[in-house]
Amino acid sequence: MTTSSLSTPLGGTPSLSTADAVYRKVSWRLIPLLFVCYIVAYLDRVNVGFAKLQMQDALQFSEAVYGLGAGIFFVGYFIFEVPSNVLMHKVGARRWIARIMVTWGLLSAGTMFVDSPMTFYVIRFFLGAAEAGFFPGIILYLTYWYPAARRGKATSLFLAAIPFAGILGGPISGWILQGMAGINGWQGWQWLFLLQGLPTVALGLVIWRYLDDRVKDAAWLSPAERELIAREIAADNMGKSEVSIWRVMAQGRVWLLALVYFSFVSGLYGISFWLPSIIKAIGVKGALDIGLLSAIPWTFGVVAMYLTARSADRRLEHRWHSAIAAVVGAAGLLMSVAMHGSAAWSMVGLTIATMGIMSTLPVFWGMPTGFLGGAAAAAGIAFINSFGNLSGFAAPFMIGVIKDATKSTDAGLHMLAALLVIGAVLVLRVKPSATSSATSSATSTH
């Protein structure tokens, strides 16, 4: 597209079709790379769930040891999340995201050398510290390129990497566990960490060379295209908070959103870490078969997530979309427990649960990015994400303790369903952002 092709109607405002073309160009440039990066990020975060199928017996870990090791990742993540995101806002996404990916890729590959509970805890803690800032950094980065009325769709395309990681990662992880076992004297779970950690390092180097920090740095956009985006982002930022980090942390709405996100992410990590074990418990034995079946819930989840985000963008409404999706997720978890006598119906329940849980995520992020801007957005998004991700520590650990005590994951899934319902109630108490109200008339024809 050339500069002259950005025709404007009377009054000097670019037509909707012109703006659509510019943002399509941005999306084709940014989203595929960020999408692939988040696939490997999510695989590195949850592949410990597949490794458990062999690792637990090989190292004689109890369910509680596994749950604590899986979850302690998020303690390191929580401690370093806010400073990481604030630094990214200052030094730029290209250098900082590349640094994050290289360090966590090396640590993830190094998990293959775990030989005791303590080494498991230590490397998982430092893995969380290394990855801290990646997800909120990308959420913040998208606010540099998309106004609120377009950000939900872009965020959903990025977050689609989570279910795609499940779709691709399940069969690949199952194949590595079975097919690579014994090669070079290493067990399948060791190969799993190595082969899913090193690609992250390579992608970090791609980010270093390919990503632009801001719109003004994008040589692949014409001056008129850069001006269009900058103008819309500036209009979008009017009325947003640009205050100190400590004032952001003191806002009641930020804390409420953090509690909501904690509830939603509890369901996500409950599914992510325990889905292979739940499928095994309903009678499926082979690692490859477990991996193939685990792709089913994620496949339906990505479709539900995209359609929900698209609906929320069109209506500029986030609270009810999030609440309804959370209740659907809770209902699916309860169904999977009630029907555990039938493998088929249990899978239906898990699929419904994954559809609901995944649909909460892109819609949720429309709320904090709707009223926080600049350094306030960097700190607020990071705090909300880091607090919410503490559920990644709490949920796996509690499910592990419950399973050790009851020899079943049923009570743990009931707990996750209750947390989702609590999140649905809390999200309806979030005050709609002024940004959404201000932009609704401008985007009603979108």
Side-chain angles (χ1 to χ4, degrees), residues 345-430:
W345 282 108
S346 288
M347 284 300 300
V348 170
L350 288 171
T351 299
I352 292 172
T354 305
M355 292 171 69
I357 291 165
M358 289 304 308
S359 295
T360 64
L361 302 180
V363 179
F364 170 86
W365 283 111
M367 288 181 276
T369 57
F371 71 92
L372 294 171
I381 291 169
F383 173 73
I384 291 166
N385 186 65
S386 62
F387 186 91
N389 272 285
L390 282 178
S391 63
F393 168 75
F397 179 59
M398 288 305 299
I399 293 176
V401 170
I402 290 169
K403 188 175 180 184
D404 273 343
T406 66
K407 309 304 178 187
S408 171
T409 56
D410 289 2
L413 294 179
H414 284 145
M415 176 191 71
L416 296 180
L419 284 170
L420 287 169
V421 172
I422 291 170
V425 173
L426 290 177
V427 79
L428 294 178
R429 297 180 62 84
V430 177

Side-chain angles (χ1 to χ4, degrees), residues 106-390:
L106 292 173
L107 282 165
S108 182
T111 309
M112 68 182 293
F113 299 113
V114 163
D115 60 1
S116 68
M118 184 53 66
T119 56
F120 187 39
Y121 300 153
V122 169
I123 200 161
R124 290 287 296 176
F125 174 85
F126 282 107
L127 180 61
E131 191 183 326
F134 174 76
F135 176 81
I138 299 302
I139 295 297
L140 176 65
Y141 185 68
L142 293 177
T143 69
Y144 301 160
W145 296 86
Y146 297 93
R150 297 179 182 273
R151 200 178 306 131
K153 182 179 178 181
T155 303
S156 73
L157 291 172
F158 168 63
L159 289 176
I162 297 177
F164 266 97
I167 294 167
L168 299 174
I172 291 172
S173 297
W175 177 82
I176 292 172
L177 288 175
Q178 285 189 188
M180 300 294 291
I183 296 177
N184 201 42
W186 294 337
Q187 298 182 44
W189 65 268
Q190 293 177 299
W191 279 108
L192 180 67
F193 287 120
L194 179 65
L195 295 180
Q196 292 185 355
L198 293 183
T200 305
V201 177
L203 279 169
L205 300 177
V206 173
I207 287 286
W208 175 265
R209 293 188 59 86
Y210 191 80
L211 208 64
D212 295 298
D213 286 330
R214 298 278 186 158
V215 174
K216 63 181 177 62
D217 303 315
W220 44 274
L221 291 172
S222 71
E225 290 166 340
R226 292 195 292 269
E227 181 185 352
L228 182 152
I229 297 171
R231 186 167 58 247
E232 293 202 352
I233 296 297
D236 192 54
N237 285 334
M238 292 178 61
K240 288 186 179 180
S241 299
E242 178 62 275
V243 293
S244 72
I245 294 172
W246 298 113
R247 287 186 63 186
V248 170
M249 305 284 276
Q251 289 188 33
R253 184 159 51 166
V254 170
W255 277 94
L256 180 57
L257 285 167
L259 289 171
V260 170
Y261 198 55
F262 182 96
S263 301
F264 290 168
V265 176
S266 293
L268 174 63
Y269 285 121
I271 290 289
S272 299
F273 284 127
W274 289 93
L275 184 60
S277 296
I278 293 169
I279 293 174
K280 183 178 180 180
I282 62 178
V284 182
K285 299 304 180 185
L288 181 57
D289 292 334
I290 292 171
L292 291 170
L293 281 176
S294 71
I296 295 173
W298 296 118
T299 302
F300 283 88
V302 70
V303 175
M305 182 178 69
Y306 178 79
L307 293 177
T308 303
R310 186 176 179 184
S311 173
D313 266 4
R314 285 181 172 177
R315 294 166 175 81
L316 283 173
E317 197 291 314
H318 301 94
R319 297 181 307 152
W320 280 101
H321 280 79
S322 293
I324 292 170
V327 170
V328 170
L333 289 175
L334 293 176
M335 179 181 176
S336 71
V337 173
M339 299 292 183
H340 63 61
S342 165
W345 282 108
S346 288
M347 284 300 300
V348 170
L350 288 171
T351 299
I352 292 172
T354 305
M355 292 171 69
I357 291 165
M358 289 304 308
S359 295
T360 64
L361 302 180
V363 179
F364 170 86
W365 283 111
M367 288 181 276
T369 57
F371 71 92
L372 294 171
I381 291 169
F383 173 73
I384 291 166
N385 186 65
S386 62
F387 186 91
N389 272 285
L390 282 178

Side-chain angles (χ1 to χ4, degrees), residues 37-85:
C37 288
Y38 198 36
I39 284 180
V40 298
Y42 204 75
L43 283 176
D44 282 346
R45 188 179 302 182
V46 302
N47 59 10
V48 69
F50 271 96
K52 174 179 181 285
L53 297 173
Q54 294 180 355
M55 184 181 188
Q56 185 175 17
D57 290 338
L59 301 179
Q60 296 297 298
F61 287 174
S62 70
E63 296 287 351
V65 166
Y66 163 75
L68 179 58
I72 205 169
F73 168 98
F74 296 98
V75 177
Y77 196 87
F78 175 79
I79 293 171
F80 293 99
E81 183 96 321
V82 172
S84 177
N85 223 37

Side-chain angles (χ1 to χ4, degrees), residues 16-36:
L16 187 59
S17 60
T18 297
D20 285 345
V22 173
Y23 285 107
R24 276 197 300 272
K25 188 174 182 179
V26 170
S27 293
W28 277 111
R29 171 78 181 195
L30 299 181
I31 299 300
L33 176 59
L34 299 179
F35 176 87
V36 172

